[in-house]
Amino acid sequence: MSATIKQLRAFVAVARNRSLAQASAQLHTSQPALSVAIRNLEETTGGPLFSRDGRQLILTPEGRDFLVRAEQLLHSWDQSLDAIQQRFRLERGQLLLAVIPAFTSNRLPDLLAHFHRENPKINIVLEDIVMEGVVRSVQEGRAELGISFRPEDLGGLAFIPLERDRFIAVIPPEHPLSGKSALHWRDLAAYPFISMNRGSAVRRWTEQAFAQSGKVARYLCEANQLSTIGRLIRARMGVSAVPSLCETQMQEYGLHCLPLSAPVVYQEVGILLKSRGTLSAAASAFLQTIDRNTE
């Protein structure tokens, strides 16, 4: 049988007050209940912890030694209990996120700002990585939540849709295509094309769209980040097609963003999380922030 926290508190209170009456008043419990707690603790320890000196309870040598350890245990317990309560009250803890760069650069800052205002004591740890990395990070537990396009293979994860993204054409100003109100994929095939790196989901979707259009892209350069693609287009090196998540960012570079069809390429953007298990209080609060601040 193991000693309980309640028994340890009873023992320390009696040891400090040297009186059942005073200890019971301090702990707001009856003297008989306190006596039972002490007796049960002595049965667990294997011998007496107190001896009587008139009306006072005096610690035995074993009791004096045990008092030091009991107080240490209670201090550690109180600290641990306070720490976990602070986490549930969102007064401490971490929010562990893995997010694709397209969302990090364009949607995430406002969401994190809302979250931080509501939960200023939560530390935010952010991995800004490509979709494949987001999936691995959540699967391996480095991130509790991921924000990404829907992967073809969820790999045991759950996916909560947030929005439906449509690919758009991005061209430099004063380009021959800039006077049009909308473009087809075959229009882009006539110009040097700047793409995401091979192996990425965006590159795979781009190649599929060109194949459906019946045209072959004139790939000039590939990059690992959509922001790099924007800068290369601003330098008038070519054209590209990117998720509409990036539209604001591309417009900030002074680029033209046009609807793109034949085919229209849609991809869902959403939250990735483990399909089993309970989220931390911080992660649950961030999901509530997303729900309140997204359409």
Side-chain angles (χ1 to χ4, degrees):
M1 184 171 60
S2 299
T4 66
I5 294 296
K6 184 177 181 179
Q7 289 170 355
L8 291 178
R9 292 199 191 282
F11 167 70
V12 170
V14 172
R16 291 307 179 193
N17 287 282
R18 297 187 177 186
S19 164
L20 281 175
Q22 292 180 25
S24 64
Q26 179 182 320
L27 295 176
H28 305 289
T29 188
S30 67
Q31 290 188 47
L34 199 59
S35 295
V36 170
I38 295 298
R39 185 165 60 251
N40 288 340
L41 180 62
E42 289 177 328
E43 289 178 2
T44 300
T45 58
L49 300 173
F50 294 99
S51 62
R52 283 197 174 272
D53 183 4
R55 293 186 176 182
Q56 285 191 331
L57 290 172
I58 305 300
L59 287 167
T60 63
E62 292 79 11
R64 287 194 299 271
D65 181 66
F66 186 61
L67 176 62
V68 175
R69 300 174 186 275
E71 289 181 322
Q72 290 173 343
L73 287 169
L74 288 175
H75 180 69
S76 178
W77 168 259
D78 289 338
Q79 282 189 320
S80 299
L81 185 60
D82 182 60
I84 193 63
Q85 288 173 338
Q86 287 182 37
R87 288 178 68 93
F88 282 118
R89 294 194 302 264
L90 297 174
E91 294 175 357
R92 66 183 298 173
Q94 285 188 331
L95 173 63
L96 305 174
L97 298 175
V99 185
I100 56 173
F103 198 94
T104 302
S105 301
N106 298 280
R107 301 277 201 279
L108 189 64
D110 286 343
L111 289 174
L112 288 182
H114 282 293
F115 178 80
H116 177 66
R117 284 195 293 270
E118 296 166 353
N119 308 284
K121 296 183 179 180
I122 298 297
N123 181 44
I124 300 167
V125 180
L126 172 63
E127 284 188 274
D128 180 13
I129 49 179
V130 297
M131 186 178 87
E132 295 77 10
V134 171
V135 173
R136 287 194 300 271
S137 186
V138 178
Q139 286 174 332
E140 295 170 3
R142 295 193 306 276
E144 195 170 4
L145 296 175
I147 301 178
S148 168
F149 295 109
R150 179 192 285 271
E152 294 176 2
D153 180 8
L154 285 172
L157 300 180
F159 183 83
I160 304 173
L162 291 177
E163 60 183 274
R164 200 178 185 208
D165 184 277
R166 175 178 175 173
F167 269 52
I168 56 174
V170 183
I171 57 177
E174 301 176 2
H175 188 274
L177 297 175
S178 61
K180 299 196 175 206
S181 59
L183 294 174
H184 294 164
W185 284 87
R186 63 175 177 269
D187 297 324
L188 300 180
Y191 299 92
F193 192 88
I194 301 168
S195 72
M196 283 291 287
N197 59 296
R198 289 180 179 86
S200 69
V202 171
R203 175 63 175 269
R204 184 168 63 255
W205 297 329
T206 298
E207 291 177 344
Q208 291 170 353
F210 275 120
Q212 290 178 47
S213 76
K215 295 290 184 177
V216 178
R218 294 169 53 191
Y219 292 112
L220 170 69
C221 179
E222 60 182 51
N224 290 324
Q225 299 292 340
L226 289 163
S227 58
T228 304
I229 290 176
R231 293 187 183 96
L232 293 174
I233 297 172
R234 184 173 59 183
R236 293 176 168 78
M237 289 184 63
V239 301
S240 191
V242 302
S244 57
L245 273 176
C246 305
E247 184 169 3
T248 300
Q249 181 181 9
M250 296 300 169
Q251 289 174 340
E252 289 174 352
Y253 293 151
L255 305 178
H256 290 192
C257 299
L258 300 173
L260 190 56
S261 60
V264 175
V265 178
Y266 287 113
Q267 295 295 334
E268 279 190 306
V269 179
I271 301 164
L272 288 166
L273 65 162
K274 289 188 175 179
S275 55
R276 295 182 179 179
T278 302
L279 291 175
S280 68
S284 296
F286 184 64
L287 288 183
Q288 293 174 10
T289 297
I290 293 175
D291 187 57
R292 289 193 298 269
N293 293 280
T294 56
E295 297 180 357

